Amino acid sequence: MQKIIQILCLFCCMYGWSQDTHYWTQQFGSKSSLMGGASVGGVRDNSSIYYNPGAMSLVDSSTVSVSATGYQYESLKLKNGAGSGIDLNSSKTYIIPLIITGTYKFKKNDRHTLGYTIISKMQTGLKLSARNDLELDVLPEFNSEGNEEFVAQYNLNTSVSEQWFGGGYSYRFSDHFSVGLTTFINYRSQLLEKSHVARAIPFDTSVYYQYITQLVSANDIQSIEFMNFNLINKIGFAFDFKKLKFGFAITTPGIKLYSSGNYLRDAQLSNMNLDENDLNDYIENAETEEEISAAVNDFKDGLYSFTANDKQDSKEGMQVEYKTPLSISGGIEYDFKKFKISTSWEWFDKIAPYHIIKPVEREVLRPKSAKFGYTSTEFMSIQESNKSVFNWVVACEIPLTKKISLISSFRTDNSYASKPTIESERINQTYWNLKHLTLGAVQKKEKSDLSLGLTYGFGNTTGPQYTNLATPYEANALEGDIETSEINYNTYALLLGYTYYLGK
């Protein structure tokens, strides 16, 4: 029984959840996106409803804005990610509307400002696959001499989408100070489809094939989908002294409103000699056909064949929850006449371990000839924890003409996930830190602003392989020992933005 639990835990430890573990991957607003989000202190357009709601009432007029990335391209390469010489690669292209937002000033009292926004906070995913079809020495030599046919494949398909719907209010106490509050509904949907299948086939001339089995197999197939709604509040304070602008904002942890999801998983082992028993020890003293048959049956009794299977959803009691942290942000902008320098930072609090998915506890192992005590709680629980994160950005704006300004920015984008270990049970896919460079321009017209820019994001690190199909062996459920792979991530985005000023 202990060996079964170890193998099931091995299945659980196979990494494969595509969840963006970064808070600053995308930025919002026709100008703020070029600035990389260096807007907490100096934002003076309707993207303030997100960055600093206190600044909404400092905007000169009512505005309507539609900002979008025309195209975003993500690529990920994991060298030796599925074993030595077997790389994993993923590339995806998205068309993403980043923000639709507007503000309205009361004509009779422009100290009061209302705002609304729809933000595409996150749109990401991965699609990885690998296959190995070779003659390899998978089964122990003392049972099956030479190589066996080995066929295995690994597939991973994930997607994460997150939208924020918000409404805000800001009040200007004076020309130098204002305060505001935005309330967001955060909607997050997430999908995972993963399979790991391996087969070892002894050659038909071998004793093992003739007397024991024609096939040794293992598989783990998962399908997870969930959605979660949270209520998030952000309060902001903005200060304006012409050349010098600064401010800060506090974002509260999310309050769960509604969630649902479903989870299907099937893991199976067939004819697996996990204890590395030697067939020769059983048959060496057997002389008659009856004795050989009895010895073979005794050996077969030591093989493992079982399946763990379950399907659950929130309608029958499976619990689903996705948490967002407390964060505190601040920023400063200073106008040197010939150019402006802006900087912002944000600290995100840690989140203690919790269950994203907590299934109803019940038996999952078959055959049911014995109560193994291994239930859906161990088999299907999905846990998460976030470490604290600090990000910062610096941006420079240089006027080229009276109407056109050049903007460049650099920002960090650190992950809240710790680097995985071989033993860890985790769902994080992206645990590496990123950096983003942006270059673009803003053209100011009488009643509108038009922006165009390019962003390049990159990150690299080393980490454990997703699987090892290159050096499998039977005692490890037809998988090789997990080693280290090199990870390289790149993303490119074309930023398009438009702001229209109603009151000008």
Side-chain angles (χ1 to χ4, degrees), residues 197-218:
V197 178
R199 307 283 187 261
I201 303 98
F203 287 104
D204 56 10
T205 56
S206 70
V207 173
Y208 205 75
Y209 180 94
Q210 295 172 3
Y211 285 95
I212 305 302
T213 183
Q214 290 81 47
L215 178 70
V216 180
S217 66

Side-chain angles (χ1 to χ4, degrees), residues 319-471:
Q319 298 178 29
V320 178
E321 182 177 17
Y322 181 81
K323 293 185 177 182
T324 58
L326 166 75
S327 72
I328 301 173
S329 59
I332 300 173
E333 177 185 288
Y334 193 83
D335 189 349
F336 291 92
K337 290 187 178 181
K338 291 186 177 181
F339 62 92
K340 291 180 183 178
I341 293 292
S342 301
T343 183
S344 292
W345 54 265
E346 189 166 10
W347 169 81
F348 298 86
D349 196 10
K350 65 181 180 181
I351 298 177
Y354 72 99
H355 285 89
I356 289 182
I357 292 180
K358 188 175 183 179
V360 176
E361 186 172 25
R362 59 195 184 198
E363 287 281 341
V364 296
L365 280 178
R366 284 152 175 83
K368 291 184 174 181
S369 55
K371 292 290 183 181
F372 293 120
Y374 186 83
T375 69
S376 54
T377 300
E378 295 90 352
F379 187 55
M380 299 175 68
S381 292
I382 301 296
Q383 285 192 318
E384 174 73 299
S385 66
N386 300 17
K387 65 182 182 181
S388 62
V389 168
F390 184 85
N391 285 326
W392 59 270
V393 57
V394 61
C396 180
E397 180 180 356
I398 303 174
L400 299 179
T401 68
K402 290 183 178 181
K403 294 184 178 182
I404 299 177
S405 295
L406 182 68
I407 297 176
S408 63
S409 64
F410 172 84
R411 73 179 185 272
T412 63
D413 188 16
N414 295 319
S415 170
Y416 62 69
S418 302
K419 180 176 288 192
T421 62
I422 295 175
E423 296 81 12
S424 63
E425 295 185 18
R426 59 187 299 129
I427 64 173
N428 298 323
Q429 181 66 42
T430 55
Y431 53 85
W432 44 88
N433 296 331
L434 303 178
K435 297 178 178 62
H436 298 269
L437 291 167
T438 301
L439 180 64
V442 174
Q443 182 183 29
K444 296 181 180 294
K445 296 184 178 181
E446 183 179 353
K447 298 192 68 173
S448 64
D449 291 344
L450 179 65
S451 65
L452 174 66
L454 294 171
T455 292
Y456 169 59
F458 60 96
N460 57 80
T461 187
T462 58
Q465 296 167 325
Y466 282 61
T467 184
N468 187 344
L469 307 181
T471 57

Side-chain angles (χ1 to χ4, degrees), residues 96-108:
I96 309 173
L98 284 183
I99 187 171
I100 301 172
T101 183
T103 59
Y104 174 77
K105 282 185 173 295
F106 292 92
K107 293 181 179 180
K108 293 182 179 180

Side-chain angles (χ1 to χ4, degrees), residues 72 118 121 172 190 246 259 268 271 295 344 351 414 439 441 483 495 500:
Q72 179 172 305
I118 301 173
K121 191 71 163 57
R172 188 178 78 249
Q190 205 155 331
F246 61 94
S259 63
Q268 172 266 330
N271 301 316
S344 292
I351 298 177
N414 295 319
L439 180 64
E483 300 174 353
L495 304 175
Y500 181 75

